[in-house]
Amino acid sequence: MLSAAASASALAMNQSIAVPPLKKGTRGVAVANPPVPHPPGHACVVTLYKHMAFGAHGSSAAQKAHPHQWSFSPSAQCSGPWSKIVLEANFSVTPGRQYDRTASIWLDGVNIFYGTTQEPSAHVSPHWRVERNLTDYASLFRHAGKGTVILDNYINHVDNGVIHSSARLLFYPAAKGASTPAPANHVYGLDSSPRGDVADVQNSHDTLAHTFSLPRNIEHAYLDVIAQSQATDEQWYMCIDNADLARTRYFSLGPPASGDPLEQCGNTSFREVEVSIDGQPAGRAPVYPWTYTGGVDPYLWRPTPDIQTLNFVPYRINLTPFAALLDNGRPHTISVRVIDAHHYFSLAANLLVYLDHGRKVLTGRLIQNTLATHRARFAPHTQRHWKNSAHRHINGNVNVTEQGDYVIAGLLHTSHGLIRTRVQQHSTFLNQQQFLHPNASLYREIIHQNTLVTDTVTTSRNGKVSTHVRHLHYPLLVDVTKHMKANGSFTAVITMQQSYIKRLDNTRDSHTIFWSRLNDARNTHDSVVFNATGTALSDSRDQHSDQTYHFRDSQGSCYMRRVDARSGAVSSITSGIGCPGGVNHLHGDSWPNAM
């Protein structure tokens, strides 16, 4: 057990693993993402754990490591009030060979970090830092607690990379007289473990669920959700309708399944999260198509991993229309599932509640829920068109579409008046898979996927109306050409393009009070030789990639950085283009990495 205790004066003594600076020639980890903006002034530091080694834990089959445990004790010097709380976690992998591994950090059953690791190589030991803004979770750090780190790593004579990690919290004190953020009054993890653990769901029916006895004066409620694809579902965007599995299996670069190399996966290419309260549908969230550093072709992700791969961003679902239900004094079960999951997804979810301190009990009602009343409308649709050519060579398309619109609304009598909250979501999903097999030695698959979601939250109180609009766009292109050889091995020419595009617009009585724009784009290409089983790669050629991260907001923030790489090393870095004076600037209150 490690006891966490530190003070502002200990800042210099608690530096964690040094992360090499990003520069031309970097081969470890090179990302364009900015760190979480840190406010001015000195932070009070509390170390969570130091220099933990994740070696031969669990087994390669069970994929269950023994958790590393630690204890948290709030420091008197870090008592607050706080302007911002930042989690800073550092990771490294020794040179050699190791798979990408899932890492998560928990405190009292609440998930405070979730991501995966960078794969090393024989002569490269990656080091990287992840940060997360935990200001909304401030109530979690006001009392002693029990923490754990879960990192499933397995060591043998081939996979010999040992992973190390350290983590700490940085508490930035609020300036005198300055207003401070209003964090959640309570944060609850949905997992049943008191320390926290990842929940695996194998299919659409399995759920991560927890029954709560909650305060009766909840005014606002939110659920932060992470759904990580695993095993056969790892590259779920390459999956296909079960009726088309047999004819498309030789196109696949998906994970091996049940002993079959590069097996195609079923249940269509659609995945989505659904949240329920007491069995009633309460919200939906898209699944971001993360690709981990061993996915498709590991050379694609050296030294720049895919978007968010090392640090997943949760999706925040507004549950406020259900506040009156949660306030009725009865136990309530909140559950999360993944629609069309197919072995399997790992889930983490945190419930955040904000209380009305002017009343002990709030009343109201749910007045509309079209997600529950029109549930059948949200089923995905599959269309296919196959053309059989000479010698049984096939060409065709399989397209999956889904469109969903719902409104959930509720009213609540509070100490400061009647509040009406209306949550509306409009979403569209399209996955187009084109298959070309003109001769016996060539297979080409092209996937165009687009996920668009707009969440609009309208709040009315005492004649005043505020709106919060979040628009998300997840475009993805996967283009794979396989040139087969007589011995079963093949050369794969792979191009992947992906973006995470987010727009936020907040208004009050039709006047804009805040806006932000984020476009995180990633392009990568490689030509690599696979052995006949698809389990070994060699002779990577023409590997090149780039990532461009561009963020602006109404507070004056402007950040642009582009990282180009070739043959596994950074070839150029560009910063500040389009920003005033050509210089990046992030306001201390900006959330470029937020939900």
Side-chain angles (χ1 to χ4, degrees):
M1 297 285 235
L2 296 176
S3 178
S7 66
S9 62
L11 180 61
M13 296 184 293
N14 281 286
Q15 297 297 326
S16 34
I17 300 170
V19 178
L22 179 60
K23 60 184 180 179
K24 188 174 179 178
T26 293
R27 289 187 173 272
V29 176
V31 297
N33 307 56
V36 171
H38 292 224
H42 294 287
C44 181
V45 180
V46 174
T47 299
L48 302 182
Y49 61 87
K50 292 194 294 186
H51 308 305
M52 282 188 179
F54 299 87
H57 294 285
S59 72
S60 59
Q63 296 183 353
K64 277 292 184 184
H66 302 296
H68 286 230
Q69 298 180 346
W70 43 274
S71 295
F72 173 79
S73 298
S75 171
Q77 290 86 356
C78 301
S79 59
W82 306 307
S83 64
K84 183 171 278 190
I85 303 171
V86 178
L87 170 71
E88 185 183 273
N90 291 315
F91 294 88
S92 66
V93 189
T94 57
R97 174 174 169 169
Q98 192 52 264
Y99 287 97
D100 55 84
R101 302 298 187 182
T102 297
S104 57
I105 304 175
W106 308 74
L107 178 59
D108 284 347
V110 174
N111 177 256
I112 58 175
F113 165 75
Y114 203 126
T116 59
T117 64
Q118 182 86 344
E119 289 194 353
S121 62
H123 304 291
V124 177
S125 173
H127 293 66
W128 69 96
R129 175 173 297 161
V130 296
E131 295 185 351
R132 186 171 170 192
N133 187 338
L134 293 177
T135 310
D136 285 350
Y137 288 59
S139 63
L140 187 65
F141 310 118
R142 296 192 179 278
H143 54 80
K146 298 184 180 299
T148 188
V149 187
I150 302 172
L151 203 159
D152 295 339
N153 197 31
Y154 179 70
I155 302 291
N156 58 29
H157 67 285
V158 176
D159 305 315
N160 56 2
V162 179
I163 302 172
H164 294 83
S165 176
S166 297
R168 60 186 190 171
L169 290 172
L170 279 64
F171 296 86
Y172 287 89
K176 277 190 176 182
S179 60
T180 57
N185 296 103
H186 299 285
V187 184
Y188 308 93
L190 261 64
D191 194 83
S192 58
S193 169
R195 284 184 176 266
D197 196 0
V198 173
D200 296 333
V201 293
Q202 302 293 329
N203 51 54
S204 289
H205 305 291
D206 289 352
T207 63
L208 164 62
H210 195 90
T211 300
F212 298 96
S213 295
L214 298 165
R216 300 196 61 186
N217 57 341
I218 295 173
E219 186 172 327
H220 303 285
Y222 305 90
L223 192 72
D224 288 349
V225 178
I226 290 174
Q228 182 202 13
S229 55
Q230 299 271 21
T232 310
D233 258 354
E234 183 175 324
Q235 280 102 237
W236 56 270
Y237 48 82
M238 300 178 73
C239 297
I240 200 165
D241 190 88
N242 295 335
D244 302 297
L245 281 171
R247 71 171 79 206
T248 61
R249 65 165 300 185
Y250 291 106
F251 291 87
S252 177
L253 282 182
S258 304
D260 292 322
L262 299 176
E263 184 63 86
Q264 182 64 283
C265 52
N267 277 25
T268 80
S269 56
F270 176 74
R271 304 289 186 272
E272 191 172 56
V273 170
E274 182 180 78
V275 174
S276 298
I277 299 177
D278 300 332
Q280 178 178 193
R284 286 204 174 195
V287 176
Y288 191 77
W290 294 307
T291 303
Y292 318 129
T293 57
V296 183
D297 167 10
Y299 293 105
L300 294 168
W301 320 117
R302 298 177 181 175
T304 304
D306 198 17
I307 293 171
Q308 297 181 14
T309 291
L310 304 181
N311 188 4
F312 300 157
V313 174
Y315 192 94
R316 179 163 290 183
I317 298 174
N318 194 320
L319 300 178
T320 301
F322 297 90
L325 174 66
L326 300 176
D327 289 336
N328 67 8
R330 302 188 187 99
H332 295 286
T333 300
I334 298 177
S335 59
V336 183
R337 71 185 185 108
V338 180
I339 297 169
D340 287 343
H342 180 62
H343 183 64
Y344 62 96
F345 271 75
S346 296
L347 300 178
N350 301 324
L351 175 66
L352 291 79
V353 300
Y354 295 73
L355 306 181
D356 179 357
H357 295 289
R359 287 187 182 175
K360 293 183 178 180
V361 177
L362 302 184
T363 59
R365 60 188 176 91
L366 182 71
I367 56 179
Q368 187 179 19
N369 186 355
T370 63
L371 180 58
T373 56
H374 300 101
R375 198 172 191 175
R377 295 182 181 177
F378 295 86
H381 301 280
T382 301
Q383 294 180 321
R384 61 182 57 79
H385 180 263
W386 291 106
K387 180 181 179 181
N388 291 314
S389 55
H391 307 293
R392 296 185 179 180
H393 301 149
I394 61 170
N395 296 278
N397 298 77
V398 178
N399 300 331
V400 176
T401 59
E402 190 267 354
Q403 181 169 318
D405 289 276
Y406 66 80
V407 174
I408 304 176
L411 57 84
L412 195 65
H413 298 277
T414 73
S415 64
H416 34 271
L418 176 66
I419 299 178
R420 297 177 183 269
T421 304
R422 184 179 189 269
V423 175
Q424 180 177 14
Q425 184 182 94
H426 172 75
S427 64
T428 60
F429 174 88
L430 171 64
N431 180 288
Q432 298 175 307
Q433 300 188 28
Q434 181 180 7
F435 299 91
L436 304 172
H437 181 38
N439 56 62
S441 63
L442 190 146
Y443 293 84
R444 186 181 183 192
E445 180 181 6
I446 306 170
I447 299 174
H448 287 275
Q449 180 169 295
N450 265 293
T451 305
L452 293 101
V453 179
T454 301
D455 292 306
T456 303
V457 180
T458 305
T459 304
S460 304
R461 185 178 70 185
N462 299 328
K464 298 186 178 297
V465 178
S466 61
T467 62
H468 176 95
V469 180
R470 174 181 57 188
H471 177 79
L472 294 166
H473 182 198
Y474 304 159
L476 172 68
L477 166 69
V478 183
D479 189 336
V480 178
T481 301
K482 295 170 65 173
H483 299 274
M484 309 298 296
K485 300 179 181 179
N487 63 359
S489 66
F490 59 90
T491 298
V493 181
I494 307 167
T495 296
M496 292 186 68
Q497 299 175 356
Q498 186 173 8
S499 295
Y500 178 90
I501 301 169
K502 178 179 65 177
R503 299 201 315 262
L504 297 179
D505 291 281
N506 295 347
T507 64
R508 184 177 297 134
D509 293 334
S510 301
H511 298 289
T512 298
I513 59 174
F514 176 79
W515 60 263
S516 68
R517 305 288 184 265
L518 168 63
N519 189 340
D520 188 359
R522 179 81 170 85
N523 306 295
T524 186
H525 174 88
D526 188 36
S527 177
V528 66
V529 176
F530 284 77
N531 67 0
T533 64
T535 56
L537 293 78
S538 62
D539 197 24
S540 169
R541 298 180 181 180
D542 193 29
Q543 185 278 328
H544 57 87
S545 67
D546 62 80
Q547 181 196 5
T548 303
Y549 192 104
H550 196 177
F551 174 81
R552 302 178 73 99
D553 70 16
S554 57
Q555 299 185 99
S557 294
C558 182
Y559 181 97
M560 178 275 169
R561 174 168 281 188
R562 174 177 169 131
V563 176
D564 289 85
R566 184 169 290 276
S567 301
V570 172
S571 56
S572 67
I573 304 167
T574 308
S575 295
I577 294 178
C579 295
V583 177
N584 288 334
H585 168 73
L586 289 173
H587 190 277
D589 292 334
S590 293
W591 282 54
N593 308 102
M595 306 59 125

